[in-house]
Every structure is written in C-alpha cells, then in structure tokens.
Amino acid sequence: MVIDFSASWCGPCKFMEPVLNGMAAKFTEVQFVKLDVDELPDVAQEFGVQGMPTFVLLKKGKEVDRVVGAQKNDLEKKVEKHRDLVAAT
C-alpha cells in the first residue's frame, strides 16, 4: 500500500497526482490511498509527516519505505522494489 499524504493547497502534490494515477494503473496489485493532511491531521502526525507530498509504503501494516517530495522516479523505484518483494514471497 502507498499512502499519499498531501494537501489541496500543495503545488507539488498536484504535480504528483497524474503520476500516482499512472502508477496505480501500472502496479495493479498495489493499493494507492490519498490522504489530505488538513482533513486528517492526527493520521499525518501518527506517521510523522512533516513535508508534502510524503509517500509512505506499507507492507502488512508496517512502514517499509517512504519518499518525501515530488520525487516521481524515486517513488516508482521503491514501489517496484517492494512490489517485487511481495511477489517473491
């Protein structure tokens, strides 16, 4: 699962939206969830989100990786890496 911590006023978050839609179409076995930090600040705080966008990669309920900022190549590499680990087990 990839949680996208974003905000409606965040320019880089808007830039990443079509990128995430593309990744969701490419990695159909991975669930992508968008979370607005202004609507759910407690959840953002629980995950220690300090900058946006922040992408938290979870596997079996535990954080396995994260990407802070509009780093689309880094995010895609990490999604692919962790997706492959799931497929290999």
Side-chain angles (χ1 to χ4, degrees):
M1 174 184 287
V2 177
I3 304 175
D4 169 16
F5 289 93
S6 61
S8 59
W9 47 263
C10 170
C13 300
K14 292 178 184 178
F15 167 77
M16 288 298 290
E17 194 168 333
V19 172
L20 279 175
N21 291 340
M23 283 187 207
K26 180 177 180 180
F27 303 111
T28 55
E29 70 281 8
V30 178
Q31 184 178 11
F32 288 81
V33 178
K34 185 173 182 171
L35 192 144
D36 189 312
V37 298
D38 291 327
E39 292 179 17
L40 295 168
D42 293 346
V43 177
Q45 184 176 6
E46 182 180 327
F47 279 91
V49 174
Q50 297 182 1
M52 282 161 305
T54 293
F55 305 95
V56 176
L57 287 75
L58 301 175
K59 192 181 304 177
K60 297 182 181 176
K62 300 206 184 286
E63 182 175 338
V64 293
D65 224 328
R66 92 172 29 206
V67 176
V68 179
Q71 307 294 327
K72 64 180 182 176
N73 293 335
D74 193 23
L75 178 60
E76 185 163 6
K77 286 177 189 170
K78 289 183 178 189
V79 169
E80 188 147 12
K81 170 187 168 186
H82 293 293
R83 179 209 55 180
D84 288 345
L85 289 175
V86 170
T89 57

